[in-house]
Amino acid sequence: MVTPIPPATASPEDVRILPMGEHALLLEVGGLDEVLALHARLDAARIPGILDLVPAARTVLVHVDTSRLPLSAARAWVRTGAGSDDAAAATPVTPTTVELDVVYDGPDLAETAEALGLTVDELVRRHTAAQWSVAFTGFAPGFGYLVSPDWTFDVPRLTAPRTRVPRGAVGLAARFSGAYPRESPGGWRLIGTTDAPLFDPDAADAASAVLLPPGTRVRFRARPHRDATQTHSRVDAPARGGIGQAREPAVRVVDAGMLATVQDLGRPGLASLGVARSGAMDRAALRTANRLLGNREGAAAIEVTMGVFRAIAVGDVWFAVTGAWGRIGLGGREVDPYEAHLWHSGEALELDWFAHGLRAYLALRGGVAAPPVLGSRATDSLAGLGPASLGPGTAIAIGDHAVAPVPAATLAPWSGPHDDELEVELAPGPRADWFAASALPTIFESVWTVTNDADRVGMRLDGPALERRAATELPSEGMVPGALQVPPSGRPTILLADGPVTGGYPVIAVVADASLDALAQARPGTRLRFRHARRR
């Protein structure tokens, strides 16, 4: 017998609406039952402009396309939808049930059973007898947080998380169970292994890519242990043969430097499935490069980090370089950035170490013809989605995203990124009240420094510690690019394009959208000054 979706237990007045930057709201309720009910109601009453609804342990994150729906209107919609019995009743949902075969062979099985006062057989029996459901997803694409009214145990996480948890590992943490869709670090206690395809990046659409989306009912079935000679399948990096192999290559990489990836404007609207936005870190630079070539603004290009990139043209192709600034050599002569140039077959293109900024965008007329994954050609470094990073020998084909002639003149004046000091606008975050009264003034009055611990996932800052009011743990909740998370050390980290869609550190503020592109060019050692975001 399937447990029904719980009825709403919170009135609109019980929903606490918290700010999450300029394009999202964080709705806080009393607990997971209220979250599931609120999410069901809002999903049934969804209106144009609501990009995504991301449930978590005690919150629902509402992503808003503010070009279509002002944040004030979204707030009013929440108040209406949160109390709408008719909306939820109008579209009854029959939950899908998925059965997962599990070999109960996890390295923590015996220790976990002992800690819970059970035998191993009793733990397995309890786990398989429970009727589980996916409360929310996060951490990684397709990672479902499973809950059950039949599971009454609170299982502590490992004190020292593993650096490698294999794909298919089934674990327990707090009152949740879950299975890892891909190899990753993790702190859950591992009790078994499943071969189920939890996440398929090659699926025809996002809805079918995730085996266990929110609301799915799950039953675990114990199966016999694998033969001792068998090993669980692991996630291998995509073969580095070429990008867009179905087409003739136009460019061949000789040296990719520190990091070169394919990026477009990313995968917005899939956070509820655990999929980050990803895409170009400096979106303005990508759009400009494409406009210089007559491409669609969101066409895929090559994001080059720090420079030292070299490639040979296999056929004639137009290109433009924007973003970070450094010497650009073409066939032995120097050419300018922010201009379209014809790259003749056989010529070498060289991007030297960047003198200013961190990331440049090498766009090709027609765009890079990488195969789309969940609607985007972007490489997500955390989730492992999209093409592999480029390396020596990678062949790149061009696509069909040219929609206009190459402009006869440059589009606008340009200047290199500012490396020494940046002014970054901050919008309010949902958890400022978790901090001492001195924390917000400290943020705006201090000079912060970008540390070496910075990549496409996040950027750790050095500066004064922000004092917390309490050391209690925050249940996981939805995150957005630009979220200023503060771990127990008190020194903030800014989540960026490939950052996780949920997190457990309080967010004191959120970088304004207009400042994210500038942050993409901040090198280690760059100083940041924060100021309040202007109302737009």
Side-chain angles (χ1 to χ4, degrees):
M1 176 130 181
V2 175
T3 304
I5 294 175
T9 57
S11 68
E13 293 74 21
D14 295 326
V15 178
R16 187 181 178 208
I17 303 179
L18 304 169
M20 180 63 96
E22 303 170 303
H23 303 286
L25 300 169
L26 190 68
L27 316 182
E28 185 176 46
V29 291
L32 188 56
D33 286 350
E34 291 91 338
V35 164
L36 298 178
L38 176 62
H39 179 263
R41 289 169 177 272
L42 294 179
D43 195 36
R46 192 185 291 232
I47 59 175
I50 301 299
L51 285 177
D52 211 353
L53 298 170
V54 186
R58 295 180 185 171
T59 58
V60 177
L61 181 67
V62 182
H63 286 269
V64 182
D65 179 354
T66 54
S67 67
R68 304 179 65 189
L69 184 71
L71 210 56
S72 58
R75 187 182 294 267
W77 169 78
V78 166
R79 287 297 186 198
T80 302
S84 174
D85 289 316
D86 294 338
T91 54
V93 177
T94 302
T96 300
T97 299
V98 174
E99 294 184 334
L100 294 184
D101 289 336
V102 177
V103 176
Y104 284 90
D105 60 354
D108 304 318
L109 179 62
E111 182 181 338
T112 303
E114 183 179 0
L116 299 179
L118 305 173
T119 65
V120 167
D121 288 344
E122 180 68 7
L123 174 57
V124 172
R125 190 192 69 78
R126 296 277 193 101
H127 195 250
T128 55
Q131 299 183 73
W132 299 89
S133 63
V134 183
F136 55 94
T137 58
F139 174 66
F143 187 96
Y145 287 76
L146 309 183
V147 296
S148 172
D150 308 317
W151 186 258
T152 58
F153 302 105
D154 192 346
V155 180
R157 288 175 170 83
L158 297 174
T159 54
R162 290 182 171 90
T163 58
R164 177 188 175 275
V165 174
R167 173 188 176 186
V170 176
L172 299 169
R175 296 184 179 273
F176 299 106
S177 187
Y180 286 75
R182 66 187 298 265
E183 183 179 308
S184 62
W188 289 36
R189 295 185 181 269
L190 307 182
I191 62 171
T193 310
T194 180
D195 289 322
L198 299 165
F199 181 72
D200 179 10
D202 298 321
D205 54 52
S208 58
V210 175
L211 180 64
L212 306 177
T216 303
R217 304 302 182 186
V218 178
R219 295 300 297 262
F220 293 104
R221 297 188 306 189
R223 66 180 175 92
H225 285 259
R226 294 190 303 270
D227 185 270
T229 60
Q230 287 184 301
T231 56
H232 187 73
S233 59
R234 60 183 290 259
V235 176
D236 293 314
R240 184 178 283 139
I243 305 297
Q245 296 182 49
R247 300 169 180 254
E248 288 295 320
V251 171
R252 191 172 300 277
V253 176
V254 176
D255 188 349
M258 291 181 60
L259 178 66
T261 59
V262 175
Q263 300 295 341
D264 55 17
L265 292 178
R267 302 178 180 88
L270 300 180
S272 60
L273 301 178
V275 179
R277 186 190 74 195
S278 192
M281 293 277 287
D282 188 340
R283 295 156 297 167
L286 173 72
R287 290 186 173 106
T288 300
N290 280 319
R291 290 201 304 269
L292 286 164
L293 299 171
N295 289 342
R296 294 186 176 93
E297 285 193 346
I302 300 169
E303 183 180 88
V304 179
T305 303
M306 287 301 296
V308 197
F309 180 90
R310 187 169 185 264
I312 303 291
V314 179
D316 289 355
V317 60
W318 286 86
F319 78 94
V321 178
T322 59
W325 182 87
R327 179 186 176 277
I328 304 171
L330 178 64
R333 66 189 188 278
E334 188 169 349
V335 297
D336 289 332
Y338 284 84
E339 289 186 8
H341 303 280
L342 182 59
W343 186 0
H344 291 289
S345 179
E347 285 186 326
L349 174 68
E350 298 176 308
L351 306 185
D352 284 353
W353 284 104
F354 299 148
H356 301 283
L358 185 63
R359 296 177 175 91
Y361 294 84
L362 169 58
L364 307 174
R365 178 163 169 81
V368 174
V373 176
L374 301 183
S376 168
R377 294 169 173 82
T379 298
D380 183 330
S381 61
L382 182 64
L385 301 182
S389 58
L390 278 56
T394 303
I396 299 170
I398 57 175
D400 52 6
H401 291 279
V403 294
V406 175
T410 56
L411 299 179
W414 64 274
S415 62
H418 299 287
D419 293 323
D420 296 336
E421 190 166 292
L422 290 177
E423 278 197 350
V424 177
E425 293 188 0
L426 286 183
R431 301 299 177 189
D433 59 350
W434 277 55
F435 296 86
S438 61
L440 280 174
T442 297
I443 287 178
F444 291 103
E445 294 169 3
S446 302
V447 177
W448 302 86
T449 304
V450 178
T451 69
N452 289 322
D453 192 2
D455 55 20
R456 288 183 48 86
V457 175
M459 172 186 292
R460 186 167 294 170
L461 304 181
D462 190 21
L466 302 178
E467 183 183 350
R468 294 249 303 252
R469 292 183 187 274
T472 55
E473 186 174 338
L474 178 71
S476 291
E477 57 191 28
M479 294 289 142
V480 296
L484 207 70
Q485 279 194 327
V486 185
S489 69
R491 289 175 173 82
T493 294
I494 303 175
L495 297 184
L496 298 174
D498 290 355
V501 301
T502 61
Y505 295 136
V507 173
I508 192 170
V510 179
V511 174
D513 196 64
S515 291
L516 282 175
D517 291 342
L519 271 184
Q521 301 297 352
R523 303 153 70 114
T526 300
R527 297 186 299 275
L528 306 181
R529 288 186 180 272
F530 293 114
R531 59 184 175 86
H532 294 279
R534 293 166 291 182
R535 292 186 178 274
R536 292 178 172 85

